[in-house]
């Protein structure tokens, strides 16, 4: 029963993230947490079942392309983080691999949506990287003219930085909330304790 409730909660958050015009950042933060909580409380098998049920539900509601996109990176992140937290692994391990999973999942999602829309969405990210690089060059007054490779690297760095902050925020939320739900999360390393040293919710 808990598997079906938490899988449905994750699917509803994905629907809200896709279709509601407000609250996108909050929904993104909440999305991996129900399935990670399920894995901590009920084990690896229940976590896999929860992800499968969510994907089946979303495929039925949203179609065979948009529904399964929840797996990249949110479903994979929920499995990885849930396993690390249930095994009391170091935040450095869960955060580092989570960063890679998040970045790869983001790029897979960009590719799938580009194919679906018939338009290259990586160009939007590249433009953001070019704008940031131009601002840095202007700010530092460097006599540089960034080429395409440098712009692509800056765009990739933006994706990695976004995932770095996102996965750390997931750790902090789980650290504040999960102990109240009888699902303990390992304590942060001393270097990160100052970032998450807030009273539990």
């Amino acid at each position: 029963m808990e598997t079906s409730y938490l899988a449905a909660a994750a699917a509803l958050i994905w629907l809200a993230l896709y279709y509601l015009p407000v609250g996108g950042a909050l929904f993104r933060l909440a999305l991996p947490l129900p399935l990670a909580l399920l894995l901590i409380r009920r084990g690896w098998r229940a976590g896999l079942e929860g992800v499968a049920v969510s994907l089946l539900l979303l495929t039925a509601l949203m179609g065979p392309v948009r529904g399964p996109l929840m797996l990249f990176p949110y479903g994979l992140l929920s499995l990885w983080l849930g396993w690390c937290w249930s095994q009391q692994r170091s935040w450095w391990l869960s955060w580092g691999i989570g960063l890679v999973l998040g970045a790869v999942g983001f790029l897979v999602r960009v590719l799938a949506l580009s194919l679906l829309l018939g338009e290259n969405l990586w160009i939007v990210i590249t433009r953001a990287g070019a704008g940031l690089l131009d601002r840095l060059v202007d700010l530092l007054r460097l006599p540089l003219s960034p080429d395409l490779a440098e712009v692509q690297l800056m765009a990739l760095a933006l994706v990695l930085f976004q995932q770095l902050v996102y996965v750390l925020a997931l750790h902090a939320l789980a650290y504040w909330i999960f102990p109240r739900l009888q699902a303990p999360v390992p304590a942060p390393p001393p270097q990160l304790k100052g970032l998450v040293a807030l009273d539990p919710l």
Side-chain angles (χ1 to χ4, degrees), residues 61-104:
L61 292 173
M62 300 177 72
V65 176
R66 289 183 181 174
L69 277 181
M70 192 271 278
L71 185 63
F72 304 102
Y74 305 108
L76 295 176
L77 269 176
S78 65
L79 290 174
W80 170 250
L81 295 177
W83 180 81
C84 285
W85 294 335
S86 69
Q87 301 294 314
Q88 299 292 303
R89 301 290 183 186
S90 165
W91 280 34
W92 297 119
L93 176 66
S94 56
W95 190 19
I97 304 295
L99 163 67
V100 174
L101 285 175
V104 170

Side-chain angles (χ1 to χ4, degrees), residues 101-136:
L101 285 175
V104 170
F106 177 84
L107 295 175
V108 167
R109 206 163 73 247
V110 167
L111 175 63
L113 291 174
S114 295
L115 292 173
L116 186 65
L117 298 172
E119 194 172 326
N120 189 356
L121 296 179
W122 180 250
I123 292 173
V124 177
I125 301 168
T126 304
R127 284 182 185 151
L132 182 60
L133 204 53
D134 285 341
R135 284 194 202 103
L136 283 174

